[in-house]
Amino acid sequence: MLGNSIIGTTGQGGKLVAALVAMLAGSVLPAFPATGMSWTVGTILAIAGYALGVALIRCPVCKARWFWDALMQPELYKQILSHPECPECSRASATEKEPD
Ligand SMILES: [Zn+2]
């Protein structure tokens, strides 16, 4: 799914998956008493997952935090998740850096 997106081409799909798993686990697991997770812990886990995703998934060239930017401009989500260019600097990936 992310293969041709800027997330996939910069190898950050794993961070996105980890953030989503933490958010889902924190939102769902407390509903099942057998997991032993309280709603407080679940909420903290969900928020931490989201915050880590926002903080860690960024452009390797211009350091833009894509999901932070998308909080203010929701239309950026589509570009982040489906286009191979950074919405800030339009670079396809770190491997295409210009020589110094
Ligand atoms: Zn960039």
Side-chain angles (χ1 to χ4, degrees):
M1 178 187 100
L2 294 169
N4 195 36
S5 71
I6 186 70
I7 303 272
T9 58
T10 56
Q12 300 188 88
K15 291 185 214 170
L16 180 62
V17 169
L20 290 175
V21 166
M23 288 164 64
L24 260 181
S27 305
V28 173
L29 292 183
F32 300 93
T35 63
M37 187 183 286
S38 71
W39 282 108
T40 305
V41 172
T43 302
I44 292 170
L45 180 65
I47 292 173
Y50 184 76
L52 281 176
V54 167
L56 296 181
I57 298 171
R58 57 203 301 195
C59 177
V61 178
C62 71
K63 310 299 182 196
R65 289 190 171 93
W66 295 316
F67 286 96
W68 177 254
D69 293 339
L71 278 179
M72 322 295 178
Q73 300 166 264
E75 68 271 17
L76 284 180
Y77 282 117
K78 187 167 182 265
Q79 188 170 354
I80 294 167
L81 296 174
S82 61
H83 292 271
E85 303 95 22
C86 170
E88 293 292 325
C89 65
S90 299
R91 299 295 174 78
S93 77
T95 57
E96 297 185 10
K97 262 186 195 167
E98 288 176 15
D100 291 327

PDB file of all heavy atoms in Angstrom, residues 15-16 18-24 42-57 66-72 77:
ATOM      1  N   LYS A  15       7.542   2.603  10.969  1.00  0.00           N
ATOM      2  CA  LYS A  15       7.184   3.543  12.040  1.00  0.00           C
ATOM      3  C   LYS A  15       5.696   3.835  12.019  1.00  0.00           C
ATOM      4  O   LYS A  15       5.059   3.943  13.068  1.00  0.00           O
ATOM      5  CB  LYS A  15       7.956   4.857  11.863  1.00  0.00           C
ATOM      6  CG  LYS A  15       9.445   4.756  12.111  1.00  0.00           C
ATOM      7  CD  LYS A  15      10.050   6.154  12.023  1.00  0.00           C
ATOM      8  CE  LYS A  15      11.439   6.119  11.449  1.00  0.00           C
ATOM      9  NZ  LYS A  15      11.923   7.481  11.157  1.00  0.00           N
ATOM     10  N   LEU A  16       5.150   3.969  10.802  1.00  0.00           N
ATOM     11  CA  LEU A  16       3.722   4.245  10.682  1.00  0.00           C
ATOM     12  C   LEU A  16       2.909   3.068  11.210  1.00  0.00           C
ATOM     13  O   LEU A  16       1.944   3.251  11.957  1.00  0.00           O
ATOM     14  CB  LEU A  16       3.365   4.532   9.216  1.00  0.00           C
ATOM     15  CG  LEU A  16       1.892   4.830   8.938  1.00  0.00           C
ATOM     16  CD1 LEU A  16       1.452   6.084   9.681  1.00  0.00           C
ATOM     17  CD2 LEU A  16       1.644   4.995   7.447  1.00  0.00           C
ATOM     18  N   ALA A  18       3.892   0.825  13.412  1.00  0.00           N
ATOM     19  CA  ALA A  18       4.048   0.764  14.864  1.00  0.00           C
ATOM     20  C   ALA A  18       3.144   1.780  15.557  1.00  0.00           C
ATOM     21  O   ALA A  18       2.507   1.479  16.575  1.00  0.00           O
ATOM     22  CB  ALA A  18       5.511   1.012  15.242  1.00  0.00           C
ATOM     23  N   ALA A  19       3.065   2.988  14.996  1.00  0.00           N
ATOM     24  CA  ALA A  19       2.210   4.023  15.581  1.00  0.00           C
ATOM     25  C   ALA A  19       0.749   3.603  15.501  1.00  0.00           C
ATOM     26  O   ALA A  19      -0.005   3.754  16.472  1.00  0.00           O
ATOM     27  CB  ALA A  19       2.422   5.357  14.846  1.00  0.00           C
ATOM     28  N   LEU A  20       0.347   3.047  14.362  1.00  0.00           N
ATOM     29  CA  LEU A  20      -1.048   2.632  14.198  1.00  0.00           C
ATOM     30  C   LEU A  20      -1.388   1.478  15.132  1.00  0.00           C
ATOM     31  O   LEU A  20      -2.469   1.438  15.720  1.00  0.00           O
ATOM     32  CB  LEU A  20      -1.315   2.227  12.735  1.00  0.00           C
ATOM     33  CG  LEU A  20      -1.307   3.374  11.730  1.00  0.00           C
ATOM     34  CD1 LEU A  20      -1.468   2.842  10.310  1.00  0.00           C
ATOM     35  CD2 LEU A  20      -2.430   4.367  12.036  1.00  0.00           C
ATOM     36  N   VAL A  21      -0.440   0.526  15.292  1.00  0.00           N
ATOM     37  CA  VAL A  21      -0.682  -0.613  16.177  1.00  0.00           C
ATOM     38  C   VAL A  21      -0.850  -0.127  17.615  1.00  0.00           C
ATOM     39  O   VAL A  21      -1.747  -0.569  18.338  1.00  0.00           O
ATOM     40  CB  VAL A  21       0.475  -1.643  16.077  1.00  0.00           C
ATOM     41  CG1 VAL A  21       0.408  -2.652  17.224  1.00  0.00           C
ATOM     42  CG2 VAL A  21       0.411  -2.368  14.731  1.00  0.00           C
ATOM     43  N   ALA A  22       0.004   0.823  18.057  1.00  0.00           N
ATOM     44  CA  ALA A  22      -0.100   1.355  19.417  1.00  0.00           C
ATOM     45  C   ALA A  22      -1.437   2.068  19.608  1.00  0.00           C
ATOM     46  O   ALA A  22      -2.098   1.908  20.652  1.00  0.00           O
ATOM     47  CB  ALA A  22       1.057   2.310  19.700  1.00  0.00           C
ATOM     48  N   MET A  23      -1.855   2.831  18.612  1.00  0.00           N
ATOM     49  CA  MET A  23      -3.130   3.547  18.716  1.00  0.00           C
ATOM     50  C   MET A  23      -4.294   2.568  18.781  1.00  0.00           C
ATOM     51  O   MET A  23      -5.206   2.722  19.592  1.00  0.00           O
ATOM     52  CB  MET A  23      -3.302   4.489  17.514  1.00  0.00           C
ATOM     53  CG  MET A  23      -2.372   5.700  17.573  1.00  0.00           C
ATOM     54  SD  MET A  23      -2.224   6.553  15.988  1.00  0.00           S
ATOM     55  CE  MET A  23      -3.876   7.142  15.738  1.00  0.00           C
ATOM     56  N   LEU A  24      -4.250   1.542  17.912  1.00  0.00           N
ATOM     57  CA  LEU A  24      -5.328   0.550  17.896  1.00  0.00           C
ATOM     58  C   LEU A  24      -5.355  -0.240  19.197  1.00  0.00           C
ATOM     59  O   LEU A  24      -6.411  -0.426  19.808  1.00  0.00           O
ATOM     60  CB  LEU A  24      -5.110  -0.422  16.723  1.00  0.00           C
ATOM     61  CG  LEU A  24      -5.926  -0.168  15.463  1.00  0.00           C
ATOM     62  CD1 LEU A  24      -5.592  -1.228  14.422  1.00  0.00           C
ATOM     63  CD2 LEU A  24      -7.417  -0.189  15.768  1.00  0.00           C
ATOM     64  N   GLY A  42      -4.501   2.435  28.290  1.00  0.00           N
ATOM     65  CA  GLY A  42      -4.824   2.363  26.874  1.00  0.00           C
ATOM     66  C   GLY A  42      -4.795   3.730  26.212  1.00  0.00           C
ATOM     67  O   GLY A  42      -4.277   3.902  25.106  1.00  0.00           O
ATOM     68  N   THR A  43      -5.351   4.715  26.918  1.00  0.00           N
ATOM     69  CA  THR A  43      -5.379   6.080  26.363  1.00  0.00           C
ATOM     70  C   THR A  43      -3.966   6.632  26.220  1.00  0.00           C
ATOM     71  O   THR A  43      -3.615   7.239  25.205  1.00  0.00           O
ATOM     72  CB  THR A  43      -6.219   7.005  27.276  1.00  0.00           C
ATOM     73  OG1 THR A  43      -7.531   6.461  27.378  1.00  0.00           O
ATOM     74  CG2 THR A  43      -6.285   8.400  26.711  1.00  0.00           C
ATOM     75  N   ILE A  44      -3.148   6.393  27.248  1.00  0.00           N
ATOM     76  CA  ILE A  44      -1.757   6.862  27.188  1.00  0.00           C
ATOM     77  C   ILE A  44      -1.027   6.189  26.023  1.00  0.00           C
ATOM     78  O   ILE A  44      -0.289   6.841  25.272  1.00  0.00           O
ATOM     79  CB  ILE A  44      -1.041   6.584  28.525  1.00  0.00           C
ATOM     80  CG1 ILE A  44      -1.643   7.486  29.618  1.00  0.00           C
ATOM     81  CG2 ILE A  44       0.468   6.808  28.398  1.00  0.00           C
ATOM     82  CD1 ILE A  44      -1.188   7.131  31.020  1.00  0.00           C
ATOM     83  N   LEU A  45      -1.252   4.872  25.868  1.00  0.00           N
ATOM     84  CA  LEU A  45      -0.602   4.131  24.780  1.00  0.00           C
ATOM     85  C   LEU A  45      -1.030   4.690  23.423  1.00  0.00           C
ATOM     86  O   LEU A  45      -0.196   4.905  22.528  1.00  0.00           O
ATOM     87  CB  LEU A  45      -0.958   2.642  24.885  1.00  0.00           C
ATOM     88  CG  LEU A  45      -0.352   1.722  23.824  1.00  0.00           C
ATOM     89  CD1 LEU A  45       1.175   1.690  23.961  1.00  0.00           C
ATOM     90  CD2 LEU A  45      -0.912   0.305  23.956  1.00  0.00           C
ATOM     91  N   ALA A  46      -2.324   4.961  23.269  1.00  0.00           N
ATOM     92  CA  ALA A  46      -2.830   5.475  21.988  1.00  0.00           C
ATOM     93  C   ALA A  46      -2.238   6.854  21.686  1.00  0.00           C
ATOM     94  O   ALA A  46      -1.809   7.127  20.561  1.00  0.00           O
ATOM     95  CB  ALA A  46      -4.358   5.544  22.015  1.00  0.00           C
ATOM     96  N   ILE A  47      -2.213   7.706  22.697  1.00  0.00           N
ATOM     97  CA  ILE A  47      -1.684   9.062  22.490  1.00  0.00           C
ATOM     98  C   ILE A  47      -0.178   8.997  22.217  1.00  0.00           C
ATOM     99  O   ILE A  47       0.342   9.705  21.351  1.00  0.00           O
ATOM    100  CB  ILE A  47      -1.990   9.951  23.716  1.00  0.00           C
ATOM    101  CG1 ILE A  47      -3.506  10.190  23.797  1.00  0.00           C
ATOM    102  CG2 ILE A  47      -1.224  11.270  23.638  1.00  0.00           C
ATOM    103  CD1 ILE A  47      -3.943  10.910  25.057  1.00  0.00           C
ATOM    104  N   ALA A  48       0.522   8.131  22.957  1.00  0.00           N
ATOM    105  CA  ALA A  48       1.969   7.999  22.756  1.00  0.00           C
ATOM    106  C   ALA A  48       2.267   7.489  21.342  1.00  0.00           C
ATOM    107  O   ALA A  48       3.200   7.967  20.688  1.00  0.00           O
ATOM    108  CB  ALA A  48       2.558   7.050  23.797  1.00  0.00           C
ATOM    109  N   GLY A  49       1.476   6.523  20.873  1.00  0.00           N
ATOM    110  CA  GLY A  49       1.672   6.002  19.524  1.00  0.00           C
ATOM    111  C   GLY A  49       1.499   7.092  18.482  1.00  0.00           C
ATOM    112  O   GLY A  49       2.301   7.230  17.564  1.00  0.00           O
ATOM    113  N   TYR A  50       0.459   7.886  18.674  1.00  0.00           N
ATOM    114  CA  TYR A  50       0.199   8.979  17.730  1.00  0.00           C
ATOM    115  C   TYR A  50       1.326  10.014  17.781  1.00  0.00           C
ATOM    116  O   TYR A  50       1.849  10.437  16.752  1.00  0.00           O
ATOM    117  CB  TYR A  50      -1.137   9.650  18.075  1.00  0.00           C
ATOM    118  CG  TYR A  50      -1.513  10.716  17.085  1.00  0.00           C
ATOM    119  CD1 TYR A  50      -2.016  10.366  15.838  1.00  0.00           C
ATOM    120  CD2 TYR A  50      -1.334  12.058  17.383  1.00  0.00           C
ATOM    121  CE1 TYR A  50      -2.348  11.337  14.913  1.00  0.00           C
ATOM    122  CE2 TYR A  50      -1.663  13.037  16.462  1.00  0.00           C
ATOM    123  CZ  TYR A  50      -2.173  12.670  15.232  1.00  0.00           C
ATOM    124  OH  TYR A  50      -2.487  13.633  14.322  1.00  0.00           O
ATOM    125  N   ALA A  51       1.732  10.373  19.004  1.00  0.00           N
ATOM    126  CA  ALA A  51       2.780  11.390  19.151  1.00  0.00           C
ATOM    127  C   ALA A  51       4.094  10.910  18.545  1.00  0.00           C
ATOM    128  O   ALA A  51       4.808  11.684  17.887  1.00  0.00           O
ATOM    129  CB  ALA A  51       2.967  11.731  20.628  1.00  0.00           C
ATOM    130  N   LEU A  52       4.422   9.631  18.748  1.00  0.00           N
ATOM    131  CA  LEU A  52       5.669   9.102  18.191  1.00  0.00           C
ATOM    132  C   LEU A  52       5.625   9.100  16.667  1.00  0.00           C
ATOM    133  O   LEU A  52       6.614   9.439  16.013  1.00  0.00           O
ATOM    134  CB  LEU A  52       5.926   7.683  18.711  1.00  0.00           C
ATOM    135  CG  LEU A  52       6.506   7.612  20.115  1.00  0.00           C
ATOM    136  CD1 LEU A  52       6.633   6.156  20.563  1.00  0.00           C
ATOM    137  CD2 LEU A  52       7.871   8.289  20.179  1.00  0.00           C
ATOM    138  N   GLY A  53       4.460   8.718  16.121  1.00  0.00           N
ATOM    139  CA  GLY A  53       4.326   8.736  14.664  1.00  0.00           C
ATOM    140  C   GLY A  53       4.525  10.138  14.120  1.00  0.00           C
ATOM    141  O   GLY A  53       5.238  10.350  13.140  1.00  0.00           O
ATOM    142  N   VAL A  54       3.903  11.105  14.767  1.00  0.00           N
ATOM    143  CA  VAL A  54       4.026  12.505  14.330  1.00  0.00           C
ATOM    144  C   VAL A  54       5.473  12.985  14.444  1.00  0.00           C
ATOM    145  O   VAL A  54       5.995  13.651  13.559  1.00  0.00           O
ATOM    146  CB  VAL A  54       3.091  13.412  15.158  1.00  0.00           C
ATOM    147  CG1 VAL A  54       3.438  14.883  14.952  1.00  0.00           C
ATOM    148  CG2 VAL A  54       1.636  13.157  14.789  1.00  0.00           C
ATOM    149  N   ALA A  55       6.137  12.602  15.544  1.00  0.00           N
ATOM    150  CA  ALA A  55       7.485  13.113  15.811  1.00  0.00           C
ATOM    151  C   ALA A  55       8.548  12.417  14.966  1.00  0.00           C
ATOM    152  O   ALA A  55       9.521  13.050  14.560  1.00  0.00           O
ATOM    153  CB  ALA A  55       7.812  12.950  17.294  1.00  0.00           C
ATOM    154  N   LEU A  56       8.363  11.113  14.708  1.00  0.00           N
ATOM    155  CA  LEU A  56       9.446  10.336  14.102  1.00  0.00           C
ATOM    156  C   LEU A  56       9.356  10.223  12.583  1.00  0.00           C
ATOM    157  O   LEU A  56      10.363  10.003  11.925  1.00  0.00           O
ATOM    158  CB  LEU A  56       9.477   8.921  14.699  1.00  0.00           C
ATOM    159  CG  LEU A  56       9.792   8.838  16.190  1.00  0.00           C
ATOM    160  CD1 LEU A  56       9.802   7.388  16.637  1.00  0.00           C
ATOM    161  CD2 LEU A  56      11.130   9.502  16.492  1.00  0.00           C
ATOM    162  N   ILE A  57       8.149  10.346  12.021  1.00  0.00           N
ATOM    163  CA  ILE A  57       8.018  10.187  10.572  1.00  0.00           C
ATOM    164  C   ILE A  57       8.207  11.552   9.934  1.00  0.00           C
ATOM    165  O   ILE A  57       7.365  12.439  10.051  1.00  0.00           O
ATOM    166  CB  ILE A  57       6.640   9.586  10.216  1.00  0.00           C
ATOM    167  CG1 ILE A  57       6.502   8.196  10.845  1.00  0.00           C
ATOM    168  CG2 ILE A  57       6.490   9.492   8.697  1.00  0.00           C
ATOM    169  CD1 ILE A  57       5.109   7.608  10.739  1.00  0.00           C
ATOM    170  N   TRP A  66       5.674  15.257   8.468  1.00  0.00           N
ATOM    171  CA  TRP A  66       4.515  15.220   7.571  1.00  0.00           C
ATOM    172  C   TRP A  66       3.195  15.143   8.310  1.00  0.00           C
ATOM    173  O   TRP A  66       2.232  15.819   7.937  1.00  0.00           O
ATOM    174  CB  TRP A  66       4.640  14.037   6.612  1.00  0.00           C
ATOM    175  CG  TRP A  66       5.802  14.159   5.679  1.00  0.00           C
ATOM    176  CD1 TRP A  66       6.174  15.284   4.993  1.00  0.00           C
ATOM    177  CD2 TRP A  66       6.733  13.151   5.324  1.00  0.00           C
ATOM    178  NE1 TRP A  66       7.273  15.008   4.233  1.00  0.00           N
ATOM    179  CE2 TRP A  66       7.633  13.728   4.400  1.00  0.00           C
ATOM    180  CE3 TRP A  66       6.878  11.806   5.670  1.00  0.00           C
ATOM    181  CZ2 TRP A  66       8.685  12.995   3.841  1.00  0.00           C
ATOM    182  CZ3 TRP A  66       7.914  11.081   5.112  1.00  0.00           C
ATOM    183  CH2 TRP A  66       8.801  11.673   4.218  1.00  0.00           C
ATOM    184  N   PHE A  67       3.112  14.304   9.357  1.00  0.00           N
ATOM    185  CA  PHE A  67       1.821  14.130  10.024  1.00  0.00           C
ATOM    186  C   PHE A  67       1.492  15.330  10.903  1.00  0.00           C
ATOM    187  O   PHE A  67       0.327  15.614  11.164  1.00  0.00           O
ATOM    188  CB  PHE A  67       1.784  12.812  10.800  1.00  0.00           C
ATOM    189  CG  PHE A  67       1.655  11.620   9.891  1.00  0.00           C
ATOM    190  CD1 PHE A  67       2.772  10.911   9.488  1.00  0.00           C
ATOM    191  CD2 PHE A  67       0.427  11.261   9.397  1.00  0.00           C
ATOM    192  CE1 PHE A  67       2.662   9.843   8.607  1.00  0.00           C
ATOM    193  CE2 PHE A  67       0.291  10.202   8.512  1.00  0.00           C
ATOM    194  CZ  PHE A  67       1.405   9.486   8.122  1.00  0.00           C
ATOM    195  N   TRP A  68       2.530  16.018  11.364  1.00  0.00           N
ATOM    196  CA  TRP A  68       2.293  17.260  12.089  1.00  0.00           C
ATOM    197  C   TRP A  68       1.700  18.302  11.132  1.00  0.00           C
ATOM    198  O   TRP A  68       0.716  18.976  11.437  1.00  0.00           O
ATOM    199  CB  TRP A  68       3.599  17.750  12.711  1.00  0.00           C
ATOM    200  CG  TRP A  68       3.466  19.056  13.428  1.00  0.00           C
ATOM    201  CD1 TRP A  68       3.908  20.279  13.019  1.00  0.00           C
ATOM    202  CD2 TRP A  68       2.833  19.270  14.703  1.00  0.00           C
ATOM    203  NE1 TRP A  68       3.586  21.226  13.944  1.00  0.00           N
ATOM    204  CE2 TRP A  68       2.930  20.650  14.989  1.00  0.00           C
ATOM    205  CE3 TRP A  68       2.193  18.426  15.614  1.00  0.00           C
ATOM    206  CZ2 TRP A  68       2.406  21.208  16.159  1.00  0.00           C
ATOM    207  CZ3 TRP A  68       1.670  18.985  16.777  1.00  0.00           C
ATOM    208  CH2 TRP A  68       1.782  20.352  17.042  1.00  0.00           C
ATOM    209  N   ASP A  69       2.301  18.412   9.955  1.00  0.00           N
ATOM    210  CA  ASP A  69       1.782  19.353   8.954  1.00  0.00           C
ATOM    211  C   ASP A  69       0.354  18.981   8.558  1.00  0.00           C
ATOM    212  O   ASP A  69      -0.482  19.858   8.344  1.00  0.00           O
ATOM    213  CB  ASP A  69       2.676  19.347   7.713  1.00  0.00           C
ATOM    214  CG  ASP A  69       4.054  19.912   8.009  1.00  0.00           C
ATOM    215  OD1 ASP A  69       4.188  20.643   9.002  1.00  0.00           O
ATOM    216  OD2 ASP A  69       4.988  19.633   7.236  1.00  0.00           O
ATOM    217  N   ALA A  70       0.097  17.666   8.456  1.00  0.00           N
ATOM    218  CA  ALA A  70      -1.226  17.216   8.014  1.00  0.00           C
ATOM    219  C   ALA A  70      -2.301  17.507   9.064  1.00  0.00           C
ATOM    220  O   ALA A  70      -3.488  17.567   8.736  1.00  0.00           O
ATOM    221  CB  ALA A  70      -1.193  15.723   7.687  1.00  0.00           C
ATOM    222  N   LEU A  71      -1.881  17.689  10.335  1.00  0.00           N
ATOM    223  CA  LEU A  71      -2.852  18.079  11.355  1.00  0.00           C
ATOM    224  C   LEU A  71      -3.484  19.419  10.996  1.00  0.00           C
ATOM    225  O   LEU A  71      -4.660  19.660  11.251  1.00  0.00           O
ATOM    226  CB  LEU A  71      -2.171  18.210  12.722  1.00  0.00           C
ATOM    227  CG  LEU A  71      -1.946  16.935  13.525  1.00  0.00           C
ATOM    228  CD1 LEU A  71      -1.234  17.280  14.824  1.00  0.00           C
ATOM    229  CD2 LEU A  71      -3.265  16.259  13.826  1.00  0.00           C
ATOM    230  N   MET A  72      -2.671  20.307  10.447  1.00  0.00           N
ATOM    231  CA  MET A  72      -3.153  21.630  10.087  1.00  0.00           C
ATOM    232  C   MET A  72      -3.770  21.646   8.686  1.00  0.00           C
ATOM    233  O   MET A  72      -4.618  22.459   8.387  1.00  0.00           O
ATOM    234  CB  MET A  72      -1.995  22.658  10.097  1.00  0.00           C
ATOM    235  CG  MET A  72      -0.988  22.455  11.197  1.00  0.00           C
ATOM    236  SD  MET A  72      -1.720  22.704  12.828  1.00  0.00           S
ATOM    237  CE  MET A  72      -0.311  22.328  13.867  1.00  0.00           C
ATOM    238  N   TYR A  77      -2.667  14.443   3.926  1.00  0.00           N
ATOM    239  CA  TYR A  77      -2.665  12.988   4.163  1.00  0.00           C
ATOM    240  C   TYR A  77      -2.634  12.220   2.857  1.00  0.00           C
ATOM    241  O   TYR A  77      -1.903  11.251   2.705  1.00  0.00           O
ATOM    242  CB  TYR A  77      -3.898  12.561   4.968  1.00  0.00           C
ATOM    243  CG  TYR A  77      -3.795  12.843   6.446  1.00  0.00           C
ATOM    244  CD1 TYR A  77      -4.662  13.719   7.065  1.00  0.00           C
ATOM    245  CD2 TYR A  77      -2.820  12.207   7.227  1.00  0.00           C
ATOM    246  CE1 TYR A  77      -4.581  13.975   8.428  1.00  0.00           C
ATOM    247  CE2 TYR A  77      -2.731  12.465   8.581  1.00  0.00           C
ATOM    248  CZ  TYR A  77      -3.613  13.343   9.180  1.00  0.00           C
ATOM    249  OH  TYR A  77      -3.532  13.600  10.520  1.00  0.00           O
TER     250      TYR A  77
END
